[in-house]
Every structure is written in C-alpha cells, then in structure tokens.
Amino acid sequence: MNSSEEIAVSGMSAGRSAMRMGPAELVQAAAMARRFYLEGKSKIQIAEEFGVSRFKVARVLETALERDLVRIEIRVPAELDAERSDALRARYGLRHAVVVESPAEAEESPDPENLGEVAADLLGELVNEGDVLGLAWGRSTIHMAAALDRLPPCTVVQLTGVYDAGTAERGSVEAVRRAAQVSGGDAHPIYAPMLLPDAATATALRNQTGIARAFEHFDKVTVACVSIGSWEPGISTVHDMLSDEERAHYASLGVAAEMSAHLFDSEGRRVGRDLGERCITVKADQLRRIPEVVAIAGGQRKGPAIDAVLRSGLVTSLVTDTSAADYLMTAGPAPKSALNRTDPDGV
C-alpha cells in the first residue's frame, strides 16, 4: 500500500446507518476490513479464517464502505495540492503537474523558492541513469539545483547562456555543476551571456570550443528543466537585458512570455524570432524534441505567461503554485494537449 494512503477502520464510531448492524456483525466487519485494508490479506484468506465464502467477505467489505464503517483517506504532504495538480494536468494535457501551496506572505511573488525544492524531488523521479539533463537559466532552476540531493548518474548540460557573465559562478554554471556533482556525471557549462549585442558576436561565441561542446549535447537531452518569464521588469530575463527601444519593438509584436530567450504571444506562438540570432540558447525545435521538458514557474503575476508557454507545445510537465494554478484553470478555452508537441505556428 502506498505510504500516502491511510485507511481508518472503526467499529464503535461508525455512522448511524452502520449501527443498524448488530454488534456481532459490526465486530466481524471491522475485523475483516482490518485484515483486508491494513494487513493486506486477500478475500480468500479472510474467508478461510472466518469460515465464510469469499463472496460474503466481498459483500461485508462493500457494506463497510457504504455505511462509513471504513473510511479511506488519501493524503499527500500538506504543501502539495493534489486536486489542483490533477485538474491542471488534465486541462493542459501535461504528463506531470505538481501544484504547491503558495506561501501566504508571498502569493504575488514570482517563483517561490519552495517550487525549486519540489522540482528537485520531481527530477529525482524523472531522470534515469544515462540520461542527459539540460538546465536553462532562471531563478527557479537555480533554486532547484541547490535543493537536489539525489540523481542517478547522468550528463548535465547548460541550455542557455547566463543573465550576467559576472554572476555565472553563482547562477546557471553553478547549477550545472551542482547537478553533476549530485549525479556523479559530466558537466557541460556555458561561460557566456545569454544575449549578445549582435548576431555576429553570438555566432563567434557558439564556435568557441567549450560552448560548441555544450551545444553538441542539445540534441541528446532527454530531460530539460526551464523557467518561464513574464514580459515585465524583474520577472523576465530577456526583458531586462534589452534597451527601451527593443522592449517596445517586441511588445508591439504581442509578446506575453519568454522561456530560454524565446518569446511567445498569448496563444503560444513564437514572436520576435530574430532575437534568437543574438542569443546563446537551445533552439525551440530542439526543446520540442526533448522527451521531458519540466517548467518551474509560479506566482499570480506569472499566470498569463505560464499559460502562453504551455500553449506553445514545448513543455510536457509543470511545477507551479496555487496562485498561478487558480489563474490557469480559468485562462480562456482549454488548449490542445501539451503532449501533442505541435508548433502553434504550424511551421
């Protein structure tokens, strides 16, 4: 039996309808229920012990449930919202959706740190020995890497450049090193900014030995971890790296979200593709081919951005919080299944 499930069996505190059973029947039903639910005995074993048919055992167990003699409670850790998680998974057609309770003091803050802790546990489930794990830049992925305490042997590669080359050791590079250290696998960091002044500079950097080696692993990635940003100051890496004129230009194209330096409108269509020529990042088509892409993003302010990226078909799983989940459950018409992995642009 799963440790998250608890079976409460009570003979004396049953509901009023159960009291219509005589005391001998109550005691026998409680004993049978205890054997079946708590001790894991089969109906045939119980029938042999009590000298009755297995059909009577089945009827007694069914009656015990109907009359509240047996109560089945399914419990998960308090910080996880199982109902919202399942509803969100179904709405977007995700492989996994994990919704964490939003901290009361930070409901509107983007990406609460506890998302990273839960995502670290999720990666521990998803990554298998021999996988190639890709990590994109983002506060949430940095928090996730810091919380990692188990990973099977795997290669870890950085999927994007860093927000600020001067903070590389404390950001994405350190996240890649940390994940590789936990797994005991090879690390392939990228010591370069995410956004360059022009396409020529970006091309030159991509050809540098260390960066080129990391890029060679992009098509081998089996599990990726990414962050999502809204198109506003402080919660979008790309937004904060552009000039005022550039921000205005991309805003005029309808950008609503960014992920790994790729921009999306509210329907999940990519916009401003020219920006990619200046970026050190994994290509959108490469992300689409990765079997498992886990996005970590939360907070009410990020709700529209998360919705946009989920509609892009690039993400298969999501770790978020209740504030964002409540927005997502009412965010317009239900999208196509994320597992369809089709490009909304049709190209």
Side-chain angles (χ1 to χ4, degrees):
M1 182 178 298
N2 191 301
S3 61
S4 66
E5 298 184 8
E6 177 180 298
I7 309 300
V9 180
S10 172
M12 300 305 295
S13 60
R16 286 181 297 175
S17 61
M19 293 306 295
R20 295 171 188 161
M21 300 171 68
E25 291 176 305
L26 275 172
V27 170
Q28 184 183 68
M32 288 183 176
R34 184 173 296 279
R35 302 290 194 280
F36 185 73
Y37 290 109
L38 299 183
E39 298 175 11
K41 291 188 176 180
S42 70
K43 293 174 184 176
I44 293 176
Q45 289 174 314
I46 297 170
E48 291 175 351
E49 178 181 349
F50 287 88
V52 298
S53 72
R54 62 184 177 89
F55 300 105
K56 180 174 180 178
V57 173
R59 287 196 300 272
V60 169
L61 293 175
E62 183 177 350
T63 301
L65 283 172
E66 290 175 349
R67 299 190 178 185
D68 200 31
L69 184 64
V70 173
R71 297 185 304 277
I72 300 177
E73 299 178 4
I74 300 176
R75 295 181 179 179
V76 295
E79 69 271 16
L80 298 182
D81 192 313
E83 186 175 349
R84 281 186 175 93
S85 297
D86 188 54
L88 196 61
R89 179 201 56 76
R91 173 174 168 81
Y92 285 90
L94 296 164
R95 185 171 291 119
H96 304 285
V98 182
V99 178
V100 181
E101 287 289 341
S102 302
E105 69 281 4
E107 284 194 356
E108 294 188 6
S109 299
D111 303 336
E113 289 192 22
N114 61 340
L115 294 185
E117 297 170 2
V118 173
D121 287 340
L122 179 60
L123 281 189
E125 293 182 59
L126 299 180
V127 177
N128 296 307
E129 183 173 351
D131 276 348
V132 177
L133 172 63
L135 300 181
W137 194 96
R139 284 182 294 269
S140 57
T141 52
I142 292 170
H143 291 154
M144 179 278 300
L148 281 172
D149 59 10
R150 63 185 177 98
L151 272 181
C154 64
T155 298
V156 185
V157 60
Q158 193 169 323
L159 295 178
T160 63
V162 299
Y163 173 62
D164 181 350
T167 64
E169 294 297 326
R170 302 190 301 275
S172 302
V173 171
E174 177 55 32
V176 169
R177 285 178 170 173
R178 167 66 182 166
Q181 180 183 33
V182 172
S183 74
D186 294 334
H188 296 278
I190 294 177
Y191 295 94
M194 181 187 296
L195 180 65
L196 282 304
D198 52 66
T201 304
T203 299
L205 277 177
R206 291 190 200 103
N207 290 328
Q208 288 189 358
T209 303
I211 298 175
R213 187 175 298 117
F215 268 61
E216 289 173 358
H217 283 81
F218 286 0
D219 287 327
K220 304 173 186 176
V221 174
T222 50
V223 180
C225 191
V226 300
S227 296
I228 295 172
S230 300
W231 195 248
E232 57 180 301
I235 51 177
S236 166
T237 302
V238 174
H239 180 282
D240 293 348
M241 296 174 77
L242 296 172
S243 66
D244 290 341
E245 292 78 13
E246 289 171 325
R247 290 180 196 132
H249 166 66
Y250 291 115
S252 71
L253 300 179
V255 60
E258 62 100 349
M259 179 184 69
S260 303
H262 300 293
L263 309 182
F264 306 87
D265 68 10
S266 60
E267 298 299 320
R269 296 182 293 255
R270 288 178 58 212
V271 297
R273 297 189 182 210
D274 60 303
L275 186 67
E277 299 175 4
R278 297 167 49 194
C279 293
I280 303 297
T281 185
V282 61
K283 294 178 180 179
D285 288 342
Q286 289 174 310
L287 279 172
R288 201 180 303 280
R289 292 193 294 269
I290 296 173
E292 185 74 78
V293 178
V294 180
I296 314 170
Q300 190 172 19
R301 290 170 63 189
K302 277 197 177 181
I306 299 170
D307 176 63
V309 172
L310 290 182
R311 292 175 185 272
S312 73
L314 295 177
V315 169
T316 61
S317 297
L318 175 70
V319 177
T320 190
D321 66 350
T322 52
S323 294
D326 287 344
Y327 173 87
L328 293 170
M329 290 307 299
T330 58
K336 294 179 181 179
S337 171
L339 299 182
N340 204 11
R341 310 304 293 278
T342 56
D343 189 338
D345 294 331
V347 296

mmCIF file of all heavy atoms in Angstrom, residues 45 202 227 233 271 339:
data_model
loop_
_atom_site.group_PDB
_atom_site.id
_atom_site.type_symbol
_atom_site.label_atom_id
_atom_site.label_comp_id
_atom_site.label_asym_id
_atom_site.label_seq_id
_atom_site.Cartn_x
_atom_site.Cartn_y
_atom_site.Cartn_z
ATOM 1 N N GLN A 45 -8.238 -15.530 1.802
ATOM 2 C CA GLN A 45 -7.623 -15.780 3.111
ATOM 3 C C GLN A 45 -8.571 -15.402 4.240
ATOM 4 O O GLN A 45 -8.673 -16.099 5.254
ATOM 5 C CB GLN A 45 -6.312 -14.995 3.230
ATOM 6 C CG GLN A 45 -5.189 -15.518 2.358
ATOM 7 C CD GLN A 45 -3.965 -14.626 2.406
ATOM 8 O OE1 GLN A 45 -4.068 -13.407 2.296
ATOM 9 N NE2 GLN A 45 -2.796 -15.241 2.570
ATOM 10 N N ALA A 202 27.371 36.562 -31.377
ATOM 11 C CA ALA A 202 26.774 35.316 -30.888
ATOM 12 C C ALA A 202 27.311 34.120 -31.663
ATOM 13 O O ALA A 202 27.636 33.074 -31.084
ATOM 14 C CB ALA A 202 25.256 35.390 -31.008
ATOM 15 N N SER A 227 12.734 27.712 -17.003
ATOM 16 C CA SER A 227 11.961 28.717 -16.289
ATOM 17 C C SER A 227 11.098 29.487 -17.279
ATOM 18 O O SER A 227 11.351 29.468 -18.485
ATOM 19 C CB SER A 227 12.899 29.691 -15.560
ATOM 20 O OG SER A 227 13.649 29.035 -14.570
ATOM 21 N N PRO A 233 9.399 44.049 -16.074
ATOM 22 C CA PRO A 233 10.667 44.160 -15.341
ATOM 23 C C PRO A 233 10.724 43.216 -14.143
ATOM 24 O O PRO A 233 9.732 43.000 -13.457
ATOM 25 C CB PRO A 233 10.682 45.624 -14.891
ATOM 26 C CG PRO A 233 9.757 46.327 -15.824
ATOM 27 C CD PRO A 233 8.693 45.333 -16.167
ATOM 28 N N VAL A 271 7.150 34.767 -31.312
ATOM 29 C CA VAL A 271 7.289 36.069 -31.956
ATOM 30 C C VAL A 271 8.722 36.550 -31.760
ATOM 31 O O VAL A 271 9.459 36.042 -30.919
ATOM 32 C CB VAL A 271 6.299 37.097 -31.372
ATOM 33 C CG1 VAL A 271 4.859 36.676 -31.639
ATOM 34 C CG2 VAL A 271 6.514 37.269 -29.860
ATOM 35 N N LEU A 339 1.180 17.419 -24.719
ATOM 36 C CA LEU A 339 1.940 16.265 -25.180
ATOM 37 C C LEU A 339 1.829 16.070 -26.684
ATOM 38 O O LEU A 339 2.494 15.216 -27.254
ATOM 39 C CB LEU A 339 1.470 15.004 -24.446
ATOM 40 C CG LEU A 339 1.657 15.035 -22.919
ATOM 41 C CD1 LEU A 339 1.215 13.719 -22.320
ATOM 42 C CD2 LEU A 339 3.104 15.333 -22.557
#
